[in-house]
PDB file of all heavy atoms in Angstrom:
ATOM      1  N   GLU Y 100      14.993  17.900   2.712  1.00 71.00           N
ATOM      2  CA  GLU Y 100      14.752  16.860   3.686  1.00 71.00           C
ATOM      3  C   GLU Y 100      13.504  16.001   3.345  1.00 71.00           C
ATOM      4  O   GLU Y 100      13.255  15.002   3.939  1.00 71.00           O
ATOM      5  CB  GLU Y 100      14.543  17.460   5.068  1.00 71.00           C
ATOM      6  CG  GLU Y 100      15.851  18.079   5.647  1.00 71.00           C
ATOM      7  CD  GLU Y 100      16.951  17.072   5.846  1.00 71.00           C
ATOM      8  OE1 GLU Y 100      16.715  16.108   6.595  1.00 71.00           O
ATOM      9  OE2 GLU Y 100      17.994  17.174   5.193  1.00 71.00           O
ATOM     10  N   ALA Y 101      12.642  16.477   2.419  1.00 79.00           N
ATOM     11  CA  ALA Y 101      11.437  15.782   2.107  1.00 79.00           C
ATOM     12  C   ALA Y 101      11.683  14.478   1.372  1.00 79.00           C
ATOM     13  O   ALA Y 101      12.607  14.363   0.526  1.00 79.00           O
ATOM     14  CB  ALA Y 101      10.543  16.652   1.246  1.00 79.00           C
ATOM     15  N   ILE Y 102      10.954  13.421   1.707  1.00 85.00           N
ATOM     16  CA  ILE Y 102      10.984  12.159   1.056  1.00 85.00           C
ATOM     17  C   ILE Y 102       9.762  12.002   0.179  1.00 85.00           C
ATOM     18  O   ILE Y 102       8.618  12.140   0.619  1.00 85.00           O
ATOM     19  CB  ILE Y 102      11.065  11.002   2.089  1.00 85.00           C
ATOM     20  CG1 ILE Y 102      12.375  11.048   2.897  1.00 85.00           C
ATOM     21  CG2 ILE Y 102      10.898   9.635   1.370  1.00 85.00           C
ATOM     22  CD1 ILE Y 102      12.463  10.059   3.999  1.00 85.00           C
ATOM     23  N   ASP Y 103       9.985  11.718  -1.067  1.00 91.00           N
ATOM     24  CA  ASP Y 103       8.902  11.574  -2.049  1.00 91.00           C
ATOM     25  C   ASP Y 103       8.284  10.186  -1.850  1.00 91.00           C
ATOM     26  O   ASP Y 103       8.521   9.267  -2.636  1.00 91.00           O
ATOM     27  CB  ASP Y 103       9.414  11.753  -3.468  1.00 91.00           C
ATOM     28  CG  ASP Y 103       8.311  11.810  -4.494  1.00 91.00           C
ATOM     29  OD1 ASP Y 103       7.148  11.463  -4.142  1.00 91.00           O
ATOM     30  OD2 ASP Y 103       8.589  12.167  -5.655  1.00 91.00           O
ATOM     31  N   TYR Y 104       7.438  10.044  -0.827  1.00 91.00           N
ATOM     32  CA  TYR Y 104       6.943   8.700  -0.488  1.00 91.00           C
ATOM     33  C   TYR Y 104       5.869   8.207  -1.447  1.00 91.00           C
ATOM     34  O   TYR Y 104       5.757   7.027  -1.708  1.00 91.00           O
ATOM     35  CB  TYR Y 104       6.522   8.600   0.903  1.00 91.00           C
ATOM     36  CG  TYR Y 104       5.415   9.468   1.419  1.00 91.00           C
ATOM     37  CD1 TYR Y 104       4.072   9.090   1.354  1.00 91.00           C
ATOM     38  CD2 TYR Y 104       5.686  10.735   2.004  1.00 91.00           C
ATOM     39  CE1 TYR Y 104       3.067   9.911   1.785  1.00 91.00           C
ATOM     40  CE2 TYR Y 104       4.638  11.537   2.415  1.00 91.00           C
ATOM     41  CZ  TYR Y 104       3.356  11.126   2.362  1.00 91.00           C
ATOM     42  OH  TYR Y 104       2.353  11.946   2.810  1.00 91.00           O
ATOM     43  N   PRO Y 105       5.034   9.024  -2.126  1.00 95.00           N
ATOM     44  CA  PRO Y 105       4.185   8.459  -3.169  1.00 95.00           C
ATOM     45  C   PRO Y 105       4.971   7.795  -4.311  1.00 95.00           C
ATOM     46  O   PRO Y 105       4.610   6.727  -4.800  1.00 95.00           O
ATOM     47  CB  PRO Y 105       3.397   9.692  -3.674  1.00 95.00           C
ATOM     48  CG  PRO Y 105       3.396  10.623  -2.527  1.00 95.00           C
ATOM     49  CD  PRO Y 105       4.718  10.457  -1.926  1.00 95.00           C
ATOM     50  N   PHE Y 106       6.073   8.452  -4.697  1.00 96.00           N
ATOM     51  CA  PHE Y 106       6.954   7.867  -5.730  1.00 96.00           C
ATOM     52  C   PHE Y 106       7.541   6.595  -5.216  1.00 96.00           C
ATOM     53  O   PHE Y 106       7.545   5.561  -5.952  1.00 96.00           O
ATOM     54  CB  PHE Y 106       8.050   8.878  -6.036  1.00 96.00           C
ATOM     55  CG  PHE Y 106       8.926   8.519  -7.193  1.00 96.00           C
ATOM     56  CD1 PHE Y 106       8.776   9.045  -8.491  1.00 96.00           C
ATOM     57  CD2 PHE Y 106       9.967   7.626  -7.026  1.00 96.00           C
ATOM     58  CE1 PHE Y 106       9.631   8.720  -9.486  1.00 96.00           C
ATOM     59  CE2 PHE Y 106      10.806   7.239  -8.118  1.00 96.00           C
ATOM     60  CZ  PHE Y 106      10.630   7.796  -9.313  1.00 96.00           C
ATOM     61  N   TYR Y 107       8.061   6.615  -3.959  1.00 96.00           N
ATOM     62  CA  TYR Y 107       8.737   5.415  -3.421  1.00 96.00           C
ATOM     63  C   TYR Y 107       7.744   4.267  -3.212  1.00 96.00           C
ATOM     64  O   TYR Y 107       8.031   3.090  -3.608  1.00 96.00           O
ATOM     65  CB  TYR Y 107       9.411   5.756  -2.049  1.00 96.00           C
ATOM     66  CG  TYR Y 107      10.096   4.506  -1.528  1.00 96.00           C
ATOM     67  CD1 TYR Y 107      11.351   4.153  -1.986  1.00 96.00           C
ATOM     68  CD2 TYR Y 107       9.510   3.747  -0.546  1.00 96.00           C
ATOM     69  CE1 TYR Y 107      11.941   3.018  -1.512  1.00 96.00           C
ATOM     70  CE2 TYR Y 107      10.107   2.603  -0.071  1.00 96.00           C
ATOM     71  CZ  TYR Y 107      11.344   2.255  -0.577  1.00 96.00           C
ATOM     72  OH  TYR Y 107      11.974   1.135  -0.123  1.00 96.00           O
ATOM     73  N   VAL Y 108       6.551   4.503  -2.663  1.00 97.00           N
ATOM     74  CA  VAL Y 108       5.629   3.447  -2.441  1.00 97.00           C
ATOM     75  C   VAL Y 108       5.201   2.826  -3.789  1.00 97.00           C
ATOM     76  O   VAL Y 108       5.090   1.577  -3.890  1.00 97.00           O
ATOM     77  CB  VAL Y 108       4.376   3.970  -1.652  1.00 97.00           C
ATOM     78  CG1 VAL Y 108       3.282   2.886  -1.612  1.00 97.00           C
ATOM     79  CG2 VAL Y 108       4.807   4.353  -0.252  1.00 97.00           C
ATOM     80  N   ALA Y 109       4.947   3.641  -4.799  1.00 98.00           N
ATOM     81  CA  ALA Y 109       4.595   3.127  -6.110  1.00 98.00           C
ATOM     82  C   ALA Y 109       5.711   2.213  -6.644  1.00 98.00           C
ATOM     83  O   ALA Y 109       5.444   1.112  -7.146  1.00 98.00           O
ATOM     84  CB  ALA Y 109       4.326   4.255  -7.096  1.00 98.00           C
ATOM     85  N   ALA Y 110       6.986   2.658  -6.517  1.00 98.00           N
ATOM     86  CA  ALA Y 110       8.078   1.855  -7.014  1.00 98.00           C
ATOM     87  C   ALA Y 110       8.176   0.541  -6.218  1.00 98.00           C
ATOM     88  O   ALA Y 110       8.437  -0.531  -6.838  1.00 98.00           O
ATOM     89  CB  ALA Y 110       9.418   2.635  -6.833  1.00 98.00           C
ATOM     90  N   HIS Y 111       7.959   0.587  -4.936  1.00 98.00           N
ATOM     91  CA  HIS Y 111       8.032  -0.645  -4.099  1.00 98.00           C
ATOM     92  C   HIS Y 111       6.945  -1.622  -4.571  1.00 98.00           C
ATOM     93  O   HIS Y 111       7.202  -2.823  -4.706  1.00 98.00           O
ATOM     94  CB  HIS Y 111       7.858  -0.248  -2.636  1.00 98.00           C
ATOM     95  CG  HIS Y 111       7.722  -1.460  -1.703  1.00 98.00           C
ATOM     96  ND1 HIS Y 111       8.755  -1.985  -1.010  1.00 98.00           N
ATOM     97  CD2 HIS Y 111       6.604  -2.219  -1.387  1.00 98.00           C
ATOM     98  CE1 HIS Y 111       8.361  -3.048  -0.318  1.00 98.00           C
ATOM     99  NE2 HIS Y 111       7.020  -3.166  -0.526  1.00 98.00           N
ATOM    100  N   GLU Y 112       5.757  -1.152  -4.763  1.00 98.00           N
ATOM    101  CA  GLU Y 112       4.634  -2.091  -5.100  1.00 98.00           C
ATOM    102  C   GLU Y 112       4.854  -2.621  -6.502  1.00 98.00           C
ATOM    103  O   GLU Y 112       4.499  -3.773  -6.792  1.00 98.00           O
ATOM    104  CB  GLU Y 112       3.299  -1.327  -5.033  1.00 98.00           C
ATOM    105  CG  GLU Y 112       2.921  -0.865  -3.626  1.00 98.00           C
ATOM    106  CD  GLU Y 112       2.986  -1.952  -2.581  1.00 98.00           C
ATOM    107  OE1 GLU Y 112       2.744  -3.155  -2.896  1.00 98.00           O
ATOM    108  OE2 GLU Y 112       3.316  -1.672  -1.452  1.00 98.00           O
TER     109      GLU Y 112
END
Side-chain angles (χ1 to χ4, degrees):
E100 293 296 301
I102 294 174
D103 188 348
Y104 61 90
F106 186 102
Y107 181 78
V108 171
H111 173 95
E112 297 306 329

